[in-house]
Amino acid sequence: MPRLVDACSIEDVEPEDVIRFDHESHVYAIYRSPSGRFFATDGICTHEHAILADGLVMNDVIECPKHNGRFKYETGEAVRIPPCVALRTYPVRVVGDRVYLELP
Amino acid sequence: MGLGIVIVGAGDCGTRAALALRGHGYSGPVTLIGDEDHAPYERPSLSKGALLCDTDPTPIVTEDRLRSLGITFLKNVPASRILRDTHEVECSDGQRIAYSKLLLATGASPRRLRDQMGRISYLRSWRDCQSLKASLSAGMRVVVLGAGFLGLEVAAAARTRGAEVTVLETQPRILQRGVPPEIAAALGARHAQAGVTIRTHVAADLSIGSHSISLGGKEEIEADLLFGAIGAIPNTRLAEAASLSIENGILVDSRLRTSDPDILAAGDCCAFPLAVAGGLKVRLEAWRAALDQAEVAAHNLAGGDQALGLLPWFWSDQYDTTLQIVGLYSADLATVRRDIDKESFVLFHFDPGHRLVAASGYGPTGRVARDMKFAEMLVANSARPDPELLGRPEVNLKSLLGA
């Protein structure tokens, strides 16, 4: 059964930005797109150990702070090397002003 | 395109170029020639994490994947000469491979010191890394020759492994080339805090004994392990033998073409005109430059006509800190400092026309990356941001991008 985890308030993430969210010793990244939609992926780059929330969101892409690999945060797709493995994504639900992750 | 494309060198640059050829839709034959006995792997971690833990090399691509992409990968067969007249590359085993276009991505090799006993270790390949890792142990006395990125990274790794580490540098300070003094000082302090002894301005005439190193005939430093990191020399032997132009590396134009238009060169082995520095010929030993050049080389090998527009970008990780530099720093640039927090800062470097031409950041891993990304975008845009605003940490750099 997937469970909903209360991650943050919608105010915690600026549009076109990302924050880190830790839950049960797993690191997630929560994104707010320029148009205000929320997304979530694993919070560590698939290439080397780097916290994606230290990186930069540009439109629909997150760029890793370490080696500038890029992922589409909506689908997790790796779109610029060095990473070649996609990020895992998680469904997000916004209820009122809270952002919930749907975790397996 | 009938004969296909041959790439000599299966490092980061050559391998990425082979993959990019397929990525761009080139369907002719591609042969990737490597002189190591491994599938292509990434080199950056060899002087960092790979010295600290037991891992396999980080693969760029597996041999299976190369096969499925129709890329012929020849490993452990150094290319021995280029036959320009017949458009062939001859390998050490005698086989000849015909090309319509050839890419030389032969990399660089460590500059070596005179050392008749062969005591000095160097680091370039996975094999070098494994051998260095195996010889490092707690309590041993390690002397690192050269305080550039590589020497300091190995010093940090050796210290983390419990060795007693001394770094010797003939220049007046560490990271003399291309790194601002403020960042060199902060990183030097981090090494001192970790217990590494750094000595600058040491005599250049070293002599290597069986258990020590002698400085200028005056002083002996005991050493169980000597590590040499005094720079790298571009691998130009094949190109020279084929009478291609050489000038601090294999000379290429903005399209990465050598003096033979059917032969391109990319990565650490080539000297290229740096567009953002007015076409100044430079050779960068930098991972990102190698990757950027691989992309452009692939495009042009497949018949394209793309100019190289890269922006120099370097990074180093030592202990829990990172440093990043974008653009070419030089001491004559005006500098504005932005303190992000107690440990992290970014320096912005301006030319006399108030244009931001370089930026450099230092601090715990991750903290400086975001500001450096904005700095990179400002440098790429040839922006002239207000120095007073850059210096105020509460000003979001994103807000300056439109300026």
Side-chain angles (χ1 to χ4, degrees), chain B residues 291-316:
Chain B
L291 268 48
D292 288 351
Q293 290 179 345
E295 277 290 320
V296 172
H299 193 86
N300 295 345
L301 286 165
D305 182 37
Q306 197 175 87
L308 187 64
L310 73 80
L311 195 56
W313 186 84
F314 306 88
W315 95 96
S316 179

Side-chain angles (χ1 to χ4, degrees), chain A residues 15-18 47-48 53-58 63 65-68 70 80-82 84, chain B residues 16 42 45 58 60 287-288 291 313 315 317 324 365-367 369-370 373-374 376-377 398:
Chain A
E16 200 176 26
D17 208 348
V18 57
H47 174 237
E48 279 187 18
D54 289 329
L56 197 64
V57 175
M58 293 170 286
E63 181 172 299
K66 196 116 189 157
H67 303 129
N68 317 106
R70 289 183 188 171
R80 186 170 89 172
I81 57 170
C84 49
Chain B
R16 299 284 185 191
E42 295 183 353
S45 71
T58 310
I60 297 169
W287 189 58
R288 177 123 131 233
L291 268 48
W313 186 84
W315 95 96
D317 295 331
Q324 292 188 7
T365 303
R367 303 296 296 272
R370 194 178 273 231
K373 183 66 206 173
F374 289 122
E376 180 189 334
M377 293 159 101
K398 200 172 191 171

Side-chain angles (χ1 to χ4, degrees), chain B residues 233-248:
Chain B
I233 299 171
N235 293 330
T236 57
R237 192 183 52 80
L238 280 179
E240 267 177 77
S243 304
L244 299 176
S245 299
I246 310 288
E247 198 181 296
N248 176 34

